[in-house]
Amino acid sequence: QVQLQESGPGLVKPSETLSLTCTVSGGSINSHYWSWIRQPPGKGLEWIGYIFYSGGTNYNPSLKSRVTISVDTSKNQFSLKLSSVTAADTAVYYCATSRYYYYMDVWGKGTTVTVSS
Amino acid sequence: QSALTQPPSASGSPGQSVTISCTGTSSDVGGYNYVSWYQQHPGKAPKLMIYEVNKRPSGVPDRFSGSKSGNTASLTVSGLQAEDEADYYCSSYAGSNNFVVVFGGGTKLTVL
């Protein structure tokens, strides 16, 4: 069974770029869709976007101008970059995967990112 | 795209059945059979309970079922158990031109 683990800084300054990595274990990243989802404190889930193992991406239109998702097949990892962050980007960030882009059947445990000076 | 609409709360006694609704539009819920449901306990990651409207992943009890009528999808939990108390989120594919996903606002299910 594939397992996912998010990693990255827990604190990011306003206007800077948030960078997170998701490490895939127990399986290869060379298949499936790989997604990022976030959850602000006390709020619901928000889909950020996904990347197909071959590199094709799709992003939430509300975040598209600031988001980049990439994959590193040599390291079995995929990454999220969110630029020009504000306090509104404070959230638990989850990585997830599935055979199809429209649902996620394996999730990481999540990592908390706080945007503050 | 707008978030899907869910009731903020739902409740039922042990053994009873509860249904949670998820309302969208013809551009998401109503247009495709790509609705999924997730269960989230406090401090935990979401867990996929239903995909493609009414399919259960391996390991999900058959007490959980999904359906759809028009622009509204529903999750029914039968034979409520204490461990079913959690937040539930629906999501849907949302667009023919952009392969995007949209979530509902979530429903807090309380087992009385």
PDB file of all heavy atoms in Angstrom, chain B residues 42-73:
ATOM      1  N   PRO B  42     -11.428  14.361  13.931  1.00  0.00           N
ATOM      2  CA  PRO B  42     -10.618  15.512  14.390  1.00  0.00           C
ATOM      3  C   PRO B  42      -9.126  15.206  14.401  1.00  0.00           C
ATOM      4  O   PRO B  42      -8.696  14.177  14.933  1.00  0.00           O
ATOM      5  CB  PRO B  42     -11.153  15.758  15.802  1.00  0.00           C
ATOM      6  CG  PRO B  42     -12.552  15.251  15.768  1.00  0.00           C
ATOM      7  CD  PRO B  42     -12.517  14.060  14.858  1.00  0.00           C
ATOM      8  N   GLY B  43      -8.367  16.105  13.789  1.00  0.00           N
ATOM      9  CA  GLY B  43      -6.917  15.961  13.779  1.00  0.00           C
ATOM     10  C   GLY B  43      -6.375  14.906  12.843  1.00  0.00           C
ATOM     11  O   GLY B  43      -5.169  14.652  12.835  1.00  0.00           O
ATOM     12  N   LYS B  44      -7.254  14.308  12.050  1.00  0.00           N
ATOM     13  CA  LYS B  44      -6.834  13.241  11.134  1.00  0.00           C
ATOM     14  C   LYS B  44      -7.018  13.667   9.679  1.00  0.00           C
ATOM     15  O   LYS B  44      -7.735  14.612   9.374  1.00  0.00           O
ATOM     16  CB  LYS B  44      -7.656  11.967  11.383  1.00  0.00           C
ATOM     17  CG  LYS B  44      -7.512  11.417  12.800  1.00  0.00           C
ATOM     18  CD  LYS B  44      -6.107  10.930  13.067  1.00  0.00           C
ATOM     19  CE  LYS B  44      -6.014  10.245  14.416  1.00  0.00           C
ATOM     20  NZ  LYS B  44      -4.624   9.790  14.722  1.00  0.00           N
ATOM     21  N   ALA B  45      -6.356  12.925   8.788  1.00  0.00           N
ATOM     22  CA  ALA B  45      -6.527  13.162   7.374  1.00  0.00           C
ATOM     23  C   ALA B  45      -7.874  12.618   6.907  1.00  0.00           C
ATOM     24  O   ALA B  45      -8.413  11.681   7.497  1.00  0.00           O
ATOM     25  CB  ALA B  45      -5.402  12.494   6.578  1.00  0.00           C
ATOM     26  N   PRO B  46      -8.447  13.194   5.871  1.00  0.00           N
ATOM     27  CA  PRO B  46      -9.686  12.652   5.306  1.00  0.00           C
ATOM     28  C   PRO B  46      -9.486  11.221   4.816  1.00  0.00           C
ATOM     29  O   PRO B  46      -8.379  10.823   4.450  1.00  0.00           O
ATOM     30  CB  PRO B  46      -9.981  13.599   4.133  1.00  0.00           C
ATOM     31  CG  PRO B  46      -9.293  14.872   4.497  1.00  0.00           C
ATOM     32  CD  PRO B  46      -8.040  14.437   5.200  1.00  0.00           C
ATOM     33  N   LYS B  47     -10.598  10.461   4.797  1.00  0.00           N
ATOM     34  CA  LYS B  47     -10.602   9.082   4.322  1.00  0.00           C
ATOM     35  C   LYS B  47     -11.682   8.954   3.264  1.00  0.00           C
ATOM     36  O   LYS B  47     -12.829   9.368   3.485  1.00  0.00           O
ATOM     37  CB  LYS B  47     -10.883   8.116   5.469  1.00  0.00           C
ATOM     38  CG  LYS B  47     -11.038   6.660   5.039  1.00  0.00           C
ATOM     39  CD  LYS B  47     -11.467   5.791   6.214  1.00  0.00           C
ATOM     40  CE  LYS B  47     -11.701   4.341   5.782  1.00  0.00           C
ATOM     41  NZ  LYS B  47     -12.161   3.493   6.912  1.00  0.00           N
ATOM     42  N   LEU B  48     -11.336   8.380   2.123  1.00  0.00           N
ATOM     43  CA  LEU B  48     -12.310   8.179   1.049  1.00  0.00           C
ATOM     44  C   LEU B  48     -13.325   7.118   1.459  1.00  0.00           C
ATOM     45  O   LEU B  48     -12.950   5.992   1.802  1.00  0.00           O
ATOM     46  CB  LEU B  48     -11.597   7.754  -0.236  1.00  0.00           C
ATOM     47  CG  LEU B  48     -12.488   7.479  -1.451  1.00  0.00           C
ATOM     48  CD1 LEU B  48     -13.137   8.782  -1.950  1.00  0.00           C
ATOM     49  CD2 LEU B  48     -11.677   6.820  -2.569  1.00  0.00           C
ATOM     50  N   MET B  49     -14.620   7.473   1.389  1.00  0.00           N
ATOM     51  CA  MET B  49     -15.682   6.547   1.769  1.00  0.00           C
ATOM     52  C   MET B  49     -16.498   6.088   0.561  1.00  0.00           C
ATOM     53  O   MET B  49     -16.978   4.952   0.524  1.00  0.00           O
ATOM     54  CB  MET B  49     -16.616   7.214   2.788  1.00  0.00           C
ATOM     55  CG  MET B  49     -15.930   7.739   4.031  1.00  0.00           C
ATOM     56  SD  MET B  49     -15.059   6.465   4.942  1.00  0.00           S
ATOM     57  CE  MET B  49     -16.439   5.641   5.747  1.00  0.00           C
ATOM     58  N   ILE B  50     -16.692   6.998  -0.391  1.00  0.00           N
ATOM     59  CA  ILE B  50     -17.490   6.714  -1.586  1.00  0.00           C
ATOM     60  C   ILE B  50     -16.831   7.418  -2.768  1.00  0.00           C
ATOM     61  O   ILE B  50     -16.370   8.556  -2.632  1.00  0.00           O
ATOM     62  CB  ILE B  50     -18.936   7.231  -1.450  1.00  0.00           C
ATOM     63  CG1 ILE B  50     -19.693   6.523  -0.315  1.00  0.00           C
ATOM     64  CG2 ILE B  50     -19.698   7.115  -2.775  1.00  0.00           C
ATOM     65  CD1 ILE B  50     -20.082   5.079  -0.621  1.00  0.00           C
ATOM     66  N   TYR B  51     -16.775   6.756  -3.928  1.00  0.00           N
ATOM     67  CA  TYR B  51     -16.315   7.412  -5.146  1.00  0.00           C
ATOM     68  C   TYR B  51     -17.250   7.051  -6.296  1.00  0.00           C
ATOM     69  O   TYR B  51     -17.993   6.072  -6.214  1.00  0.00           O
ATOM     70  CB  TYR B  51     -14.860   7.052  -5.462  1.00  0.00           C
ATOM     71  CG  TYR B  51     -14.624   5.594  -5.826  1.00  0.00           C
ATOM     72  CD1 TYR B  51     -14.482   5.208  -7.147  1.00  0.00           C
ATOM     73  CD2 TYR B  51     -14.549   4.605  -4.844  1.00  0.00           C
ATOM     74  CE1 TYR B  51     -14.266   3.900  -7.498  1.00  0.00           C
ATOM     75  CE2 TYR B  51     -14.339   3.285  -5.181  1.00  0.00           C
ATOM     76  CZ  TYR B  51     -14.191   2.931  -6.504  1.00  0.00           C
ATOM     77  OH  TYR B  51     -13.978   1.619  -6.837  1.00  0.00           O
ATOM     78  N   GLU B  52     -17.208   7.860  -7.339  1.00  0.00           N
ATOM     79  CA  GLU B  52     -18.090   7.662  -8.496  1.00  0.00           C
ATOM     80  C   GLU B  52     -19.531   7.434  -8.051  1.00  0.00           C
ATOM     81  O   GLU B  52     -20.187   6.475  -8.469  1.00  0.00           O
ATOM     82  CB  GLU B  52     -17.559   6.524  -9.365  1.00  0.00           C
ATOM     83  CG  GLU B  52     -16.230   6.892 -10.012  1.00  0.00           C
ATOM     84  CD  GLU B  52     -15.611   5.761 -10.822  1.00  0.00           C
ATOM     85  OE1 GLU B  52     -16.216   4.680 -10.914  1.00  0.00           O
ATOM     86  OE2 GLU B  52     -14.504   5.965 -11.362  1.00  0.00           O
ATOM     87  N   VAL B  53     -20.002   8.314  -7.206  1.00  0.00           N
ATOM     88  CA  VAL B  53     -21.370   8.401  -6.679  1.00  0.00           C
ATOM     89  C   VAL B  53     -21.701   7.322  -5.653  1.00  0.00           C
ATOM     90  O   VAL B  53     -22.234   7.631  -4.586  1.00  0.00           O
ATOM     91  CB  VAL B  53     -22.427   8.376  -7.817  1.00  0.00           C
ATOM     92  CG1 VAL B  53     -23.846   8.408  -7.238  1.00  0.00           C
ATOM     93  CG2 VAL B  53     -22.226   9.555  -8.769  1.00  0.00           C
ATOM     94  N   ASN B  54     -21.444   6.046  -5.990  1.00  0.00           N
ATOM     95  CA  ASN B  54     -21.969   4.985  -5.131  1.00  0.00           C
ATOM     96  C   ASN B  54     -21.031   3.790  -4.957  1.00  0.00           C
ATOM     97  O   ASN B  54     -21.472   2.718  -4.531  1.00  0.00           O
ATOM     98  CB  ASN B  54     -23.310   4.488  -5.682  1.00  0.00           C
ATOM     99  CG  ASN B  54     -23.217   4.032  -7.128  1.00  0.00           C
ATOM    100  OD1 ASN B  54     -22.117   3.813  -7.646  1.00  0.00           O
ATOM    101  ND2 ASN B  54     -24.337   3.920  -7.782  1.00  0.00           N
ATOM    102  N   LYS B  55     -19.767   3.960  -5.280  1.00  0.00           N
ATOM    103  CA  LYS B  55     -18.816   2.859  -5.139  1.00  0.00           C
ATOM    104  C   LYS B  55     -18.048   2.988  -3.828  1.00  0.00           C
ATOM    105  O   LYS B  55     -17.620   4.079  -3.466  1.00  0.00           O
ATOM    106  CB  LYS B  55     -17.854   2.830  -6.326  1.00  0.00           C
ATOM    107  CG  LYS B  55     -18.553   2.581  -7.657  1.00  0.00           C
ATOM    108  CD  LYS B  55     -17.569   2.601  -8.810  1.00  0.00           C
ATOM    109  CE  LYS B  55     -18.307   2.373 -10.128  1.00  0.00           C
ATOM    110  NZ  LYS B  55     -17.392   2.444 -11.286  1.00  0.00           N
ATOM    111  N   ARG B  56     -17.878   1.860  -3.144  1.00  0.00           N
ATOM    112  CA  ARG B  56     -17.145   1.856  -1.868  1.00  0.00           C
ATOM    113  C   ARG B  56     -15.756   1.276  -2.057  1.00  0.00           C
ATOM    114  O   ARG B  56     -15.613   0.170  -2.601  1.00  0.00           O
ATOM    115  CB  ARG B  56     -17.884   1.020  -0.815  1.00  0.00           C
ATOM    116  CG  ARG B  56     -19.005   1.699  -0.081  1.00  0.00           C
ATOM    117  CD  ARG B  56     -19.510   0.812   1.062  1.00  0.00           C
ATOM    118  NE  ARG B  56     -19.814  -0.544   0.575  1.00  0.00           N
ATOM    119  CZ  ARG B  56     -20.960  -0.883   0.011  1.00  0.00           C
ATOM    120  NH1 ARG B  56     -21.900   0.031  -0.151  1.00  0.00           N
ATOM    121  NH2 ARG B  56     -21.160  -2.124  -0.394  1.00  0.00           N
ATOM    122  N   PRO B  57     -14.729   1.975  -1.578  1.00  0.00           N
ATOM    123  CA  PRO B  57     -13.380   1.375  -1.596  1.00  0.00           C
ATOM    124  C   PRO B  57     -13.345   0.156  -0.688  1.00  0.00           C
ATOM    125  O   PRO B  57     -14.166   0.022   0.234  1.00  0.00           O
ATOM    126  CB  PRO B  57     -12.492   2.495  -1.037  1.00  0.00           C
ATOM    127  CG  PRO B  57     -13.282   3.742  -1.197  1.00  0.00           C
ATOM    128  CD  PRO B  57     -14.705   3.343  -1.062  1.00  0.00           C
ATOM    129  N   SER B  58     -12.391  -0.707  -0.947  1.00  0.00           N
ATOM    130  CA  SER B  58     -12.220  -1.878  -0.108  1.00  0.00           C
ATOM    131  C   SER B  58     -12.023  -1.465   1.355  1.00  0.00           C
ATOM    132  O   SER B  58     -11.262  -0.538   1.652  1.00  0.00           O
ATOM    133  CB  SER B  58     -10.996  -2.667  -0.584  1.00  0.00           C
ATOM    134  OG  SER B  58     -10.710  -3.735   0.285  1.00  0.00           O
ATOM    135  N   GLY B  59     -12.746  -2.127   2.263  1.00  0.00           N
ATOM    136  CA  GLY B  59     -12.594  -1.839   3.681  1.00  0.00           C
ATOM    137  C   GLY B  59     -13.628  -0.889   4.248  1.00  0.00           C
ATOM    138  O   GLY B  59     -13.753  -0.777   5.478  1.00  0.00           O
ATOM    139  N   VAL B  60     -14.362  -0.185   3.400  1.00  0.00           N
ATOM    140  CA  VAL B  60     -15.411   0.719   3.889  1.00  0.00           C
ATOM    141  C   VAL B  60     -16.682  -0.103   4.129  1.00  0.00           C
ATOM    142  O   VAL B  60     -17.137  -0.811   3.232  1.00  0.00           O
ATOM    143  CB  VAL B  60     -15.685   1.844   2.879  1.00  0.00           C
ATOM    144  CG1 VAL B  60     -16.902   2.665   3.313  1.00  0.00           C
ATOM    145  CG2 VAL B  60     -14.460   2.732   2.739  1.00  0.00           C
ATOM    146  N   PRO B  61     -17.259  -0.002   5.330  1.00  0.00           N
ATOM    147  CA  PRO B  61     -18.462  -0.807   5.640  1.00  0.00           C
ATOM    148  C   PRO B  61     -19.603  -0.509   4.692  1.00  0.00           C
ATOM    149  O   PRO B  61     -19.775   0.637   4.244  1.00  0.00           O
ATOM    150  CB  PRO B  61     -18.804  -0.362   7.075  1.00  0.00           C
ATOM    151  CG  PRO B  61     -17.552   0.198   7.631  1.00  0.00           C
ATOM    152  CD  PRO B  61     -16.827   0.817   6.495  1.00  0.00           C
ATOM    153  N   ASP B  62     -20.428  -1.532   4.429  1.00  0.00           N
ATOM    154  CA  ASP B  62     -21.557  -1.328   3.519  1.00  0.00           C
ATOM    155  C   ASP B  62     -22.686  -0.539   4.173  1.00  0.00           C
ATOM    156  O   ASP B  62     -23.736  -0.329   3.564  1.00  0.00           O
ATOM    157  CB  ASP B  62     -22.063  -2.665   2.969  1.00  0.00           C
ATOM    158  CG  ASP B  62     -22.540  -3.616   4.049  1.00  0.00           C
ATOM    159  OD1 ASP B  62     -22.578  -3.205   5.236  1.00  0.00           O
ATOM    160  OD2 ASP B  62     -22.849  -4.774   3.719  1.00  0.00           O
ATOM    161  N   ARG B  63     -22.469  -0.094   5.409  1.00  0.00           N
ATOM    162  CA  ARG B  63     -23.411   0.829   6.056  1.00  0.00           C
ATOM    163  C   ARG B  63     -23.366   2.204   5.366  1.00  0.00           C
ATOM    164  O   ARG B  63     -24.295   3.009   5.525  1.00  0.00           O
ATOM    165  CB  ARG B  63     -23.070   1.008   7.534  1.00  0.00           C
ATOM    166  CG  ARG B  63     -23.069  -0.270   8.335  1.00  0.00           C
ATOM    167  CD  ARG B  63     -22.836  -0.019   9.809  1.00  0.00           C
ATOM    168  NE  ARG B  63     -21.532   0.506  10.132  1.00  0.00           N
ATOM    169  CZ  ARG B  63     -21.280   1.782  10.434  1.00  0.00           C
ATOM    170  NH1 ARG B  63     -22.279   2.666  10.442  1.00  0.00           N
ATOM    171  NH2 ARG B  63     -20.060   2.179  10.749  1.00  0.00           N
ATOM    172  N   PHE B  64     -22.301   2.462   4.641  1.00  0.00           N
ATOM    173  CA  PHE B  64     -22.138   3.725   3.924  1.00  0.00           C
ATOM    174  C   PHE B  64     -22.548   3.528   2.462  1.00  0.00           C
ATOM    175  O   PHE B  64     -22.062   2.621   1.792  1.00  0.00           O
ATOM    176  CB  PHE B  64     -20.689   4.206   3.986  1.00  0.00           C
ATOM    177  CG  PHE B  64     -20.260   4.635   5.364  1.00  0.00           C
ATOM    178  CD1 PHE B  64     -19.798   3.695   6.279  1.00  0.00           C
ATOM    179  CD2 PHE B  64     -20.332   5.966   5.756  1.00  0.00           C
ATOM    180  CE1 PHE B  64     -19.412   4.073   7.562  1.00  0.00           C
ATOM    181  CE2 PHE B  64     -19.943   6.355   7.027  1.00  0.00           C
ATOM    182  CZ  PHE B  64     -19.492   5.401   7.931  1.00  0.00           C
ATOM    183  N   SER B  65     -23.464   4.385   2.002  1.00  0.00           N
ATOM    184  CA  SER B  65     -23.907   4.283   0.618  1.00  0.00           C
ATOM    185  C   SER B  65     -24.089   5.669   0.035  1.00  0.00           C
ATOM    186  O   SER B  65     -24.356   6.638   0.759  1.00  0.00           O
ATOM    187  CB  SER B  65     -25.209   3.483   0.519  1.00  0.00           C
ATOM    188  OG  SER B  65     -26.242   4.132   1.232  1.00  0.00           O
ATOM    189  N   GLY B  66     -23.940   5.766  -1.287  1.00  0.00           N
ATOM    190  CA  GLY B  66     -24.079   7.037  -1.971  1.00  0.00           C
ATOM    191  C   GLY B  66     -25.082   6.955  -3.092  1.00  0.00           C
ATOM    192  O   GLY B  66     -25.324   5.886  -3.652  1.00  0.00           O
ATOM    193  N   SER B  67     -25.668   8.105  -3.411  1.00  0.00           N
ATOM    194  CA  SER B  67     -26.620   8.177  -4.509  1.00  0.00           C
ATOM    195  C   SER B  67     -26.615   9.588  -5.074  1.00  0.00           C
ATOM    196  O   SER B  67     -25.977  10.496  -4.526  1.00  0.00           O
ATOM    197  CB  SER B  67     -28.028   7.796  -4.046  1.00  0.00           C
ATOM    198  OG  SER B  67     -28.482   8.717  -3.051  1.00  0.00           O
ATOM    199  N   LYS B  68     -27.329   9.753  -6.184  1.00  0.00           N
ATOM    200  CA  LYS B  68     -27.418  11.079  -6.799  1.00  0.00           C
ATOM    201  C   LYS B  68     -28.733  11.224  -7.524  1.00  0.00           C
ATOM    202  O   LYS B  68     -29.211  10.270  -8.157  1.00  0.00           O
ATOM    203  CB  LYS B  68     -26.261  11.279  -7.783  1.00  0.00           C
ATOM    204  CG  LYS B  68     -26.110  12.706  -8.306  1.00  0.00           C
ATOM    205  CD  LYS B  68     -25.018  12.800  -9.367  1.00  0.00           C
ATOM    206  CE  LYS B  68     -25.540  12.396 -10.728  1.00  0.00           C
ATOM    207  NZ  LYS B  68     -24.625  12.764 -11.839  1.00  0.00           N
ATOM    208  N   SER B  69     -29.320  12.411  -7.437  1.00  0.00           N
ATOM    209  CA  SER B  69     -30.520  12.735  -8.188  1.00  0.00           C
ATOM    210  C   SER B  69     -30.383  14.171  -8.668  1.00  0.00           C
ATOM    211  O   SER B  69     -30.305  15.104  -7.856  1.00  0.00           O
ATOM    212  CB  SER B  69     -31.773  12.584  -7.321  1.00  0.00           C
ATOM    213  OG  SER B  69     -32.924  12.968  -8.040  1.00  0.00           O
ATOM    214  N   GLY B  70     -30.327  14.344  -9.953  1.00  0.00           N
ATOM    215  CA  GLY B  70     -30.140  15.678 -10.506  1.00  0.00           C
ATOM    216  C   GLY B  70     -28.839  16.301 -10.035  1.00  0.00           C
ATOM    217  O   GLY B  70     -27.776  15.689 -10.145  1.00  0.00           O
ATOM    218  N   ASN B  71     -28.927  17.508  -9.473  1.00  0.00           N
ATOM    219  CA  ASN B  71     -27.737  18.222  -9.023  1.00  0.00           C
ATOM    220  C   ASN B  71     -27.384  17.964  -7.563  1.00  0.00           C
ATOM    221  O   ASN B  71     -26.507  18.638  -7.005  1.00  0.00           O
ATOM    222  CB  ASN B  71     -27.922  19.727  -9.221  1.00  0.00           C
ATOM    223  CG  ASN B  71     -28.050  20.119 -10.680  1.00  0.00           C
ATOM    224  OD1 ASN B  71     -27.597  19.400 -11.577  1.00  0.00           O
ATOM    225  ND2 ASN B  71     -28.697  21.248 -10.939  1.00  0.00           N
ATOM    226  N   THR B  72     -28.083  17.012  -6.936  1.00  0.00           N
ATOM    227  CA  THR B  72     -27.848  16.718  -5.526  1.00  0.00           C
ATOM    228  C   THR B  72     -27.399  15.273  -5.315  1.00  0.00           C
ATOM    229  O   THR B  72     -28.056  14.332  -5.760  1.00  0.00           O
ATOM    230  CB  THR B  72     -29.113  16.977  -4.693  1.00  0.00           C
ATOM    231  OG1 THR B  72     -29.469  18.361  -4.785  1.00  0.00           O
ATOM    232  CG2 THR B  72     -28.872  16.640  -3.220  1.00  0.00           C
ATOM    233  N   ALA B  73     -26.269  15.140  -4.630  1.00  0.00           N
ATOM    234  CA  ALA B  73     -25.770  13.830  -4.237  1.00  0.00           C
ATOM    235  C   ALA B  73     -26.045  13.630  -2.755  1.00  0.00           C
ATOM    236  O   ALA B  73     -26.207  14.604  -2.003  1.00  0.00           O
ATOM    237  CB  ALA B  73     -24.275  13.726  -4.511  1.00  0.00           C
TER     238      ALA B  73
END
